[in-house]
PDB file of all heavy atoms in Angstrom:
ATOM      1  N   ILE A  79     -44.545  42.823 -66.921  1.00  0.00           N
ATOM      2  CA  ILE A  79     -44.480  41.399 -66.603  1.00  0.00           C
ATOM      3  C   ILE A  79     -43.746  41.181 -65.299  1.00  0.00           C
ATOM      4  O   ILE A  79     -42.670  41.734 -65.052  1.00  0.00           O
ATOM      5  CB  ILE A  79     -43.809  40.608 -67.745  1.00  0.00           C
ATOM      6  CG1 ILE A  79     -44.730  40.595 -68.997  1.00  0.00           C
ATOM      7  CG2 ILE A  79     -43.493  39.163 -67.330  1.00  0.00           C
ATOM      8  CD1 ILE A  79     -44.065  39.983 -70.219  1.00  0.00           C
ATOM      9  N   ASP A  80     -44.321  40.336 -64.438  1.00  0.00           N
ATOM     10  CA  ASP A  80     -43.679  40.004 -63.156  1.00  0.00           C
ATOM     11  C   ASP A  80     -42.600  38.949 -63.433  1.00  0.00           C
ATOM     12  O   ASP A  80     -42.904  37.754 -63.562  1.00  0.00           O
ATOM     13  CB  ASP A  80     -44.733  39.455 -62.199  1.00  0.00           C
ATOM     14  CG  ASP A  80     -44.155  39.130 -60.833  1.00  0.00           C
ATOM     15  OD1 ASP A  80     -42.920  39.101 -60.658  1.00  0.00           O
ATOM     16  OD2 ASP A  80     -44.968  38.877 -59.886  1.00  0.00           O
ATOM     17  N   LYS A  81     -41.357  39.384 -63.579  1.00  0.00           N
ATOM     18  CA  LYS A  81     -40.266  38.514 -63.940  1.00  0.00           C
ATOM     19  C   LYS A  81     -39.968  37.456 -62.876  1.00  0.00           C
ATOM     20  O   LYS A  81     -39.451  36.380 -63.171  1.00  0.00           O
ATOM     21  CB  LYS A  81     -38.980  39.318 -64.217  1.00  0.00           C
ATOM     22  CG  LYS A  81     -39.125  40.561 -65.098  1.00  0.00           C
ATOM     23  CD  LYS A  81     -39.651  40.266 -66.466  1.00  0.00           C
ATOM     24  CE  LYS A  81     -39.547  41.481 -67.396  1.00  0.00           C
ATOM     25  NZ  LYS A  81     -40.325  42.647 -66.960  1.00  0.00           N
ATOM     26  N   GLU A  82     -40.306  37.756 -61.634  1.00  0.00           N
ATOM     27  CA  GLU A  82     -40.049  36.800 -60.524  1.00  0.00           C
ATOM     28  C   GLU A  82     -41.027  35.645 -60.505  1.00  0.00           C
ATOM     29  O   GLU A  82     -40.658  34.535 -60.140  1.00  0.00           O
ATOM     30  CB  GLU A  82     -40.046  37.564 -59.208  1.00  0.00           C
ATOM     31  CG  GLU A  82     -38.940  38.579 -59.034  1.00  0.00           C
ATOM     32  CD  GLU A  82     -37.578  37.922 -59.086  1.00  0.00           C
ATOM     33  OE1 GLU A  82     -37.417  36.865 -58.486  1.00  0.00           O
ATOM     34  OE2 GLU A  82     -36.692  38.500 -59.747  1.00  0.00           O
ATOM     35  N   ASN A  83     -42.287  35.936 -60.852  1.00  0.00           N
ATOM     36  CA  ASN A  83     -43.335  34.923 -60.638  1.00  0.00           C
ATOM     37  C   ASN A  83     -44.055  34.483 -61.901  1.00  0.00           C
ATOM     38  O   ASN A  83     -44.769  33.489 -61.873  1.00  0.00           O
ATOM     39  CB  ASN A  83     -44.366  35.489 -59.662  1.00  0.00           C
ATOM     40  CG  ASN A  83     -43.802  35.770 -58.305  1.00  0.00           C
ATOM     41  OD1 ASN A  83     -43.262  34.858 -57.657  1.00  0.00           O
ATOM     42  ND2 ASN A  83     -43.859  36.994 -57.863  1.00  0.00           N
ATOM     43  N   ASP A  84     -43.832  35.178 -63.032  1.00  0.00           N
ATOM     44  CA  ASP A  84     -44.576  34.842 -64.253  1.00  0.00           C
ATOM     45  C   ASP A  84     -43.640  34.499 -65.424  1.00  0.00           C
ATOM     46  O   ASP A  84     -44.104  34.389 -66.545  1.00  0.00           O
ATOM     47  CB  ASP A  84     -45.494  35.981 -64.671  1.00  0.00           C
ATOM     48  CG  ASP A  84     -46.650  36.158 -63.681  1.00  0.00           C
ATOM     49  OD1 ASP A  84     -46.941  35.223 -62.924  1.00  0.00           O
ATOM     50  OD2 ASP A  84     -47.275  37.256 -63.674  1.00  0.00           O
ATOM     51  N   VAL A  85     -42.362  34.336 -65.157  1.00  0.00           N
ATOM     52  CA  VAL A  85     -41.389  33.943 -66.196  1.00  0.00           C
ATOM     53  C   VAL A  85     -40.725  32.670 -65.775  1.00  0.00           C
ATOM     54  O   VAL A  85     -40.196  32.537 -64.646  1.00  0.00           O
ATOM     55  CB  VAL A  85     -40.356  35.049 -66.442  1.00  0.00           C
ATOM     56  CG1 VAL A  85     -39.250  34.542 -67.367  1.00  0.00           C
ATOM     57  CG2 VAL A  85     -41.012  36.277 -67.020  1.00  0.00           C
ATOM     58  N   LEU A  86     -40.751  31.671 -66.654  1.00  0.00           N
ATOM     59  CA  LEU A  86     -40.183  30.369 -66.340  1.00  0.00           C
ATOM     60  C   LEU A  86     -38.700  30.357 -66.683  1.00  0.00           C
ATOM     61  O   LEU A  86     -38.321  30.485 -67.848  1.00  0.00           O
ATOM     62  CB  LEU A  86     -40.904  29.295 -67.168  1.00  0.00           C
ATOM     63  CG  LEU A  86     -40.784  27.835 -66.729  1.00  0.00           C
ATOM     64  CD1 LEU A  86     -41.319  27.619 -65.332  1.00  0.00           C
ATOM     65  CD2 LEU A  86     -41.601  26.991 -67.698  1.00  0.00           C
ATOM     66  N   PRO A  87     -37.784  30.234 -65.691  1.00  0.00           N
ATOM     67  CA  PRO A  87     -36.335  30.321 -65.950  1.00  0.00           C
ATOM     68  C   PRO A  87     -35.786  28.975 -66.445  1.00  0.00           C
ATOM     69  O   PRO A  87     -34.911  28.401 -65.865  1.00  0.00           O
ATOM     70  CB  PRO A  87     -35.774  30.689 -64.584  1.00  0.00           C
ATOM     71  CG  PRO A  87     -36.716  30.058 -63.600  1.00  0.00           C
ATOM     72  CD  PRO A  87     -38.089  30.102 -64.242  1.00  0.00           C
ATOM     73  N   SER A  88     -36.342  28.505 -67.534  1.00  0.00           N
ATOM     74  CA  SER A  88     -36.116  27.111 -67.983  1.00  0.00           C
ATOM     75  C   SER A  88     -34.641  26.730 -68.096  1.00  0.00           C
ATOM     76  O   SER A  88     -34.238  25.668 -67.622  1.00  0.00           O
ATOM     77  CB  SER A  88     -36.800  26.881 -69.331  1.00  0.00           C
ATOM     78  OG  SER A  88     -38.156  27.187 -69.263  1.00  0.00           O
ATOM     79  N   MET A  89     -33.863  27.558 -68.803  1.00  0.00           N
ATOM     80  CA  MET A  89     -32.489  27.137 -69.095  1.00  0.00           C
ATOM     81  C   MET A  89     -31.608  27.136 -67.862  1.00  0.00           C
ATOM     82  O   MET A  89     -30.516  26.567 -67.911  1.00  0.00           O
ATOM     83  CB  MET A  89     -31.921  28.002 -70.173  1.00  0.00           C
ATOM     84  CG  MET A  89     -31.661  29.432 -69.813  1.00  0.00           C
ATOM     85  SD  MET A  89     -30.794  30.315 -71.158  1.00  0.00           S
ATOM     86  CE  MET A  89     -31.977  30.151 -72.454  1.00  0.00           C
ATOM     87  N   PHE A  90     -32.029  27.742 -66.779  1.00  0.00           N
ATOM     88  CA  PHE A  90     -31.200  27.768 -65.584  1.00  0.00           C
ATOM     89  C   PHE A  90     -31.542  26.614 -64.609  1.00  0.00           C
ATOM     90  O   PHE A  90     -30.937  26.479 -63.557  1.00  0.00           O
ATOM     91  CB  PHE A  90     -31.412  29.120 -64.849  1.00  0.00           C
ATOM     92  CG  PHE A  90     -30.998  30.280 -65.691  1.00  0.00           C
ATOM     93  CD1 PHE A  90     -31.913  31.114 -66.277  1.00  0.00           C
ATOM     94  CD2 PHE A  90     -29.649  30.570 -65.865  1.00  0.00           C
ATOM     95  CE1 PHE A  90     -31.538  32.178 -67.058  1.00  0.00           C
ATOM     96  CE2 PHE A  90     -29.235  31.664 -66.660  1.00  0.00           C
ATOM     97  CZ  PHE A  90     -30.183  32.472 -67.240  1.00  0.00           C
ATOM     98  N   ILE A  91     -32.514  25.818 -64.990  1.00  0.00           N
ATOM     99  CA  ILE A  91     -32.933  24.698 -64.135  1.00  0.00           C
ATOM    100  C   ILE A  91     -32.472  23.369 -64.763  1.00  0.00           C
ATOM    101  O   ILE A  91     -32.772  23.088 -65.938  1.00  0.00           O
ATOM    102  CB  ILE A  91     -34.437  24.683 -63.933  1.00  0.00           C
ATOM    103  CG1 ILE A  91     -34.880  25.954 -63.202  1.00  0.00           C
ATOM    104  CG2 ILE A  91     -34.884  23.467 -63.167  1.00  0.00           C
ATOM    105  CD1 ILE A  91     -36.405  26.083 -63.045  1.00  0.00           C
ATOM    106  N   LYS A  92     -31.765  22.572 -64.003  1.00  0.00           N
ATOM    107  CA  LYS A  92     -31.331  21.255 -64.454  1.00  0.00           C
ATOM    108  C   LYS A  92     -32.021  20.181 -63.682  1.00  0.00           C
ATOM    109  O   LYS A  92     -32.144  20.257 -62.425  1.00  0.00           O
ATOM    110  CB  LYS A  92     -29.803  21.098 -64.257  1.00  0.00           C
ATOM    111  CG  LYS A  92     -28.988  22.119 -65.062  1.00  0.00           C
ATOM    112  CD  LYS A  92     -29.054  21.849 -66.547  1.00  0.00           C
ATOM    113  CE  LYS A  92     -28.162  22.839 -67.336  1.00  0.00           C
ATOM    114  NZ  LYS A  92     -28.273  22.594 -68.796  1.00  0.00           N
ATOM    115  N   TYR A  93     -32.497  19.166 -64.365  1.00  0.00           N
ATOM    116  CA  TYR A  93     -33.239  18.075 -63.743  1.00  0.00           C
ATOM    117  C   TYR A  93     -32.356  16.834 -63.593  1.00  0.00           C
ATOM    118  O   TYR A  93     -31.417  16.642 -64.384  1.00  0.00           O
ATOM    119  CB  TYR A  93     -34.494  17.718 -64.563  1.00  0.00           C
ATOM    120  CG  TYR A  93     -35.466  18.898 -64.717  1.00  0.00           C
ATOM    121  CD1 TYR A  93     -35.363  19.800 -65.751  1.00  0.00           C
ATOM    122  CD2 TYR A  93     -36.456  19.069 -63.764  1.00  0.00           C
ATOM    123  CE1 TYR A  93     -36.248  20.854 -65.862  1.00  0.00           C
ATOM    124  CE2 TYR A  93     -37.372  20.112 -63.887  1.00  0.00           C
ATOM    125  CZ  TYR A  93     -37.241  20.987 -64.929  1.00  0.00           C
ATOM    126  OH  TYR A  93     -38.139  22.055 -65.034  1.00  0.00           O
ATOM    127  N   SER A  94     -32.725  15.997 -62.664  1.00  0.00           N
ATOM    128  CA  SER A  94     -31.991  14.720 -62.497  1.00  0.00           C
ATOM    129  C   SER A  94     -32.254  13.824 -63.688  1.00  0.00           C
ATOM    130  O   SER A  94     -33.202  14.017 -64.446  1.00  0.00           O
ATOM    131  CB  SER A  94     -32.406  14.033 -61.201  1.00  0.00           C
ATOM    132  OG  SER A  94     -33.740  13.510 -61.350  1.00  0.00           O
ATOM    133  N   LYS A  95     -31.413  12.802 -63.822  1.00  0.00           N
ATOM    134  CA  LYS A  95     -31.585  11.857 -64.940  1.00  0.00           C
ATOM    135  C   LYS A  95     -32.956  11.224 -64.930  1.00  0.00           C
ATOM    136  O   LYS A  95     -33.630  11.173 -65.960  1.00  0.00           O
ATOM    137  CB  LYS A  95     -30.489  10.805 -64.878  1.00  0.00           C
ATOM    138  CG  LYS A  95     -30.648   9.694 -65.896  1.00  0.00           C
ATOM    139  CD  LYS A  95     -29.590   8.636 -65.742  1.00  0.00           C
ATOM    140  CE  LYS A  95     -29.785   7.468 -66.714  1.00  0.00           C
ATOM    141  NZ  LYS A  95     -28.753   6.420 -66.520  1.00  0.00           N
ATOM    142  N   ASP A  96     -33.373  10.750 -63.771  1.00  0.00           N
ATOM    143  CA  ASP A  96     -34.670  10.041 -63.718  1.00  0.00           C
ATOM    144  C   ASP A  96     -35.822  11.006 -64.008  1.00  0.00           C
ATOM    145  O   ASP A  96     -36.754  10.634 -64.739  1.00  0.00           O
ATOM    146  CB  ASP A  96     -34.861   9.452 -62.313  1.00  0.00           C
ATOM    147  CG  ASP A  96     -33.933   8.244 -62.079  1.00  0.00           C
ATOM    148  OD1 ASP A  96     -33.393   7.712 -63.078  1.00  0.00           O
ATOM    149  OD2 ASP A  96     -33.741   7.851 -60.913  1.00  0.00           O
ATOM    150  N   ASP A  97     -35.764  12.211 -63.469  1.00  0.00           N
ATOM    151  CA  ASP A  97     -36.850  13.172 -63.715  1.00  0.00           C
ATOM    152  C   ASP A  97     -36.820  13.615 -65.183  1.00  0.00           C
ATOM    153  O   ASP A  97     -37.882  13.769 -65.788  1.00  0.00           O
ATOM    154  CB  ASP A  97     -36.680  14.382 -62.796  1.00  0.00           C
ATOM    155  CG  ASP A  97     -37.093  14.060 -61.347  1.00  0.00           C
ATOM    156  OD1 ASP A  97     -37.873  13.113 -61.144  1.00  0.00           O
ATOM    157  OD2 ASP A  97     -36.638  14.755 -60.438  1.00  0.00           O
ATOM    158  N   ASN A  98     -35.629  13.791 -65.732  1.00  0.00           N
ATOM    159  CA  ASN A  98     -35.557  14.156 -67.145  1.00  0.00           C
ATOM    160  C   ASN A  98     -36.184  13.087 -68.033  1.00  0.00           C
ATOM    161  O   ASN A  98     -36.947  13.394 -68.951  1.00  0.00           O
ATOM    162  CB  ASN A  98     -34.064  14.334 -67.559  1.00  0.00           C
ATOM    163  CG  ASN A  98     -33.778  15.732 -68.007  1.00  0.00           C
ATOM    164  OD1 ASN A  98     -34.606  16.445 -68.509  1.00  0.00           O
ATOM    165  ND2 ASN A  98     -32.536  16.151 -67.825  1.00  0.00           N
ATOM    166  N   ASN A  99     -35.850  11.828 -67.753  1.00  0.00           N
ATOM    167  CA  ASN A  99     -36.383  10.731 -68.578  1.00  0.00           C
ATOM    168  C   ASN A  99     -37.908  10.654 -68.429  1.00  0.00           C
ATOM    169  O   ASN A  99     -38.634  10.473 -69.407  1.00  0.00           O
ATOM    170  CB  ASN A  99     -35.755   9.409 -68.143  1.00  0.00           C
ATOM    171  CG  ASN A  99     -34.336   9.280 -68.606  1.00  0.00           C
ATOM    172  OD1 ASN A  99     -33.910   9.950 -69.548  1.00  0.00           O
ATOM    173  ND2 ASN A  99     -33.542   8.440 -67.961  1.00  0.00           N
ATOM    174  N   ALA A 100     -38.395  10.793 -67.208  1.00  0.00           N
ATOM    175  CA  ALA A 100     -39.841  10.698 -66.952  1.00  0.00           C
ATOM    176  C   ALA A 100     -40.575  11.851 -67.681  1.00  0.00           C
ATOM    177  O   ALA A 100     -41.585  11.655 -68.330  1.00  0.00           O
ATOM    178  CB  ALA A 100     -40.115  10.748 -65.461  1.00  0.00           C
ATOM    179  N   MET A 101     -40.040  13.053 -67.574  1.00  0.00           N
ATOM    180  CA  MET A 101     -40.667  14.197 -68.204  1.00  0.00           C
ATOM    181  C   MET A 101     -40.625  14.123 -69.734  1.00  0.00           C
ATOM    182  O   MET A 101     -41.571  14.493 -70.429  1.00  0.00           O
ATOM    183  CB  MET A 101     -39.989  15.485 -67.735  1.00  0.00           C
ATOM    184  CG  MET A 101     -40.248  15.843 -66.282  1.00  0.00           C
ATOM    185  SD  MET A 101     -39.247  17.262 -65.753  1.00  0.00           S
ATOM    186  CE  MET A 101     -39.853  18.521 -66.825  1.00  0.00           C
ATOM    187  N   SER A 102     -39.499  13.613 -70.258  1.00  0.00           N
ATOM    188  CA  SER A 102     -39.343  13.546 -71.695  1.00  0.00           C
ATOM    189  C   SER A 102     -40.386  12.597 -72.313  1.00  0.00           C
ATOM    190  O   SER A 102     -40.980  12.908 -73.368  1.00  0.00           O
ATOM    191  CB  SER A 102     -37.934  13.065 -72.028  1.00  0.00           C
ATOM    192  OG  SER A 102     -37.730  12.959 -73.420  1.00  0.00           O
ATOM    193  N   LEU A 103     -40.627  11.493 -71.685  1.00  0.00           N
ATOM    194  CA  LEU A 103     -41.612  10.545 -72.177  1.00  0.00           C
ATOM    195  C   LEU A 103     -43.017  11.170 -72.166  1.00  0.00           C
ATOM    196  O   LEU A 103     -43.753  11.069 -73.152  1.00  0.00           O
ATOM    197  CB  LEU A 103     -41.597   9.256 -71.340  1.00  0.00           C
ATOM    198  CG  LEU A 103     -42.638   8.202 -71.720  1.00  0.00           C
ATOM    199  CD1 LEU A 103     -42.383   7.717 -73.171  1.00  0.00           C
ATOM    200  CD2 LEU A 103     -42.566   6.999 -70.732  1.00  0.00           C
ATOM    201  N   VAL A 104     -43.350  11.840 -71.079  1.00  0.00           N
ATOM    202  CA  VAL A 104     -44.646  12.481 -70.995  1.00  0.00           C
ATOM    203  C   VAL A 104     -44.767  13.572 -72.057  1.00  0.00           C
ATOM    204  O   VAL A 104     -45.815  13.687 -72.732  1.00  0.00           O
ATOM    205  CB  VAL A 104     -44.851  13.066 -69.570  1.00  0.00           C
ATOM    206  CG1 VAL A 104     -46.117  13.960 -69.530  1.00  0.00           C
ATOM    207  CG2 VAL A 104     -45.014  11.955 -68.565  1.00  0.00           C
ATOM    208  N   ASN A 105     -43.718  14.377 -72.185  1.00  0.00           N
ATOM    209  CA  ASN A 105     -43.789  15.478 -73.160  1.00  0.00           C
ATOM    210  C   ASN A 105     -43.940  14.992 -74.605  1.00  0.00           C
ATOM    211  O   ASN A 105     -44.629  15.604 -75.415  1.00  0.00           O
ATOM    212  CB  ASN A 105     -42.552  16.365 -73.055  1.00  0.00           C
ATOM    213  CG  ASN A 105     -42.579  17.251 -71.801  1.00  0.00           C
ATOM    214  OD1 ASN A 105     -43.646  17.597 -71.311  1.00  0.00           O
ATOM    215  ND2 ASN A 105     -41.435  17.587 -71.309  1.00  0.00           N
ATOM    216  N   THR A 106     -43.269  13.859 -74.930  1.00  0.00           N
ATOM    217  CA  THR A 106     -43.436  13.303 -76.273  1.00  0.00           C
ATOM    218  C   THR A 106     -44.873  12.913 -76.531  1.00  0.00           C
ATOM    219  O   THR A 106     -45.441  13.258 -77.578  1.00  0.00           O
ATOM    220  CB  THR A 106     -42.523  12.089 -76.443  1.00  0.00           C
ATOM    221  OG1 THR A 106     -41.146  12.496 -76.300  1.00  0.00           O
ATOM    222  CG2 THR A 106     -42.724  11.450 -77.809  1.00  0.00           C
ATOM    223  N   ASN A 107     -45.464  12.233 -75.576  1.00  0.00           N
ATOM    224  CA  ASN A 107     -46.884  11.818 -75.746  1.00  0.00           C
ATOM    225  C   ASN A 107     -47.819  13.000 -75.726  1.00  0.00           C
ATOM    226  O   ASN A 107     -48.812  13.024 -76.433  1.00  0.00           O
ATOM    227  CB  ASN A 107     -47.230  10.796 -74.664  1.00  0.00           C
ATOM    228  CG  ASN A 107     -46.472   9.484 -74.810  1.00  0.00           C
ATOM    229  OD1 ASN A 107     -46.130   9.085 -75.909  1.00  0.00           O
ATOM    230  ND2 ASN A 107     -46.235   8.793 -73.698  1.00  0.00           N
ATOM    231  N   LEU A 108     -47.496  13.987 -74.855  1.00  0.00           N
ATOM    232  CA  LEU A 108     -48.313  15.177 -74.792  1.00  0.00           C
ATOM    233  C   LEU A 108     -48.328  15.900 -76.133  1.00  0.00           C
ATOM    234  O   LEU A 108     -49.401  16.319 -76.631  1.00  0.00           O
ATOM    235  CB  LEU A 108     -47.756  16.098 -73.723  1.00  0.00           C
ATOM    236  CG  LEU A 108     -48.342  17.519 -73.604  1.00  0.00           C
ATOM    237  CD1 LEU A 108     -49.796  17.501 -73.281  1.00  0.00           C
ATOM    238  CD2 LEU A 108     -47.575  18.357 -72.563  1.00  0.00           C
ATOM    239  N   MET A 109     -47.188  16.090 -76.759  1.00  0.00           N
ATOM    240  CA  MET A 109     -47.104  16.799 -78.015  1.00  0.00           C
ATOM    241  C   MET A 109     -47.802  16.000 -79.153  1.00  0.00           C
ATOM    242  O   MET A 109     -48.429  16.611 -80.017  1.00  0.00           O
ATOM    243  CB  MET A 109     -45.644  17.110 -78.386  1.00  0.00           C
ATOM    244  CG  MET A 109     -44.992  18.138 -77.493  1.00  0.00           C
ATOM    245  SD  MET A 109     -45.856  19.730 -77.499  1.00  0.00           S
ATOM    246  CE  MET A 109     -46.834  19.588 -75.996  1.00  0.00           C
ATOM    247  N   ASN A 110     -47.623  14.682 -79.116  1.00  0.00           N
ATOM    248  CA  ASN A 110     -48.291  13.885 -80.148  1.00  0.00           C
ATOM    249  C   ASN A 110     -49.786  14.138 -80.151  1.00  0.00           C
ATOM    250  O   ASN A 110     -50.425  14.232 -81.215  1.00  0.00           O
ATOM    251  CB  ASN A 110     -48.015  12.410 -79.928  1.00  0.00           C
ATOM    252  CG  ASN A 110     -46.595  12.034 -80.305  1.00  0.00           C
ATOM    253  OD1 ASN A 110     -45.908  12.717 -81.019  1.00  0.00           O
ATOM    254  ND2 ASN A 110     -46.112  10.905 -79.747  1.00  0.00           N
ATOM    255  N   LEU A 111     -50.393  14.249 -78.989  1.00  0.00           N
ATOM    256  CA  LEU A 111     -51.824  14.462 -78.888  1.00  0.00           C
ATOM    257  C   LEU A 111     -52.182  15.938 -79.109  1.00  0.00           C
ATOM    258  O   LEU A 111     -53.017  16.280 -79.946  1.00  0.00           O
ATOM    259  CB  LEU A 111     -52.325  14.010 -77.511  1.00  0.00           C
ATOM    260  CG  LEU A 111     -53.829  14.330 -77.198  1.00  0.00           C
ATOM    261  CD1 LEU A 111     -54.748  13.684 -78.254  1.00  0.00           C
ATOM    262  CD2 LEU A 111     -54.180  13.824 -75.808  1.00  0.00           C
ATOM    263  N   ALA A 112     -51.493  16.826 -78.367  1.00  0.00           N
ATOM    264  CA  ALA A 112     -51.923  18.221 -78.351  1.00  0.00           C
ATOM    265  C   ALA A 112     -51.721  18.934 -79.703  1.00  0.00           C
ATOM    266  O   ALA A 112     -52.586  19.668 -80.150  1.00  0.00           O
ATOM    267  CB  ALA A 112     -51.144  19.001 -77.253  1.00  0.00           C
TER     268      ALA A 112
END
């Protein structure tokens, strides 16, 4: 596995408040459907 380009370093990335809120709303609706 290409650890540099094919692994998402999720826990090391912090989002701004506005981006977090925007993404959270989308993810909630995404999961409800998917």
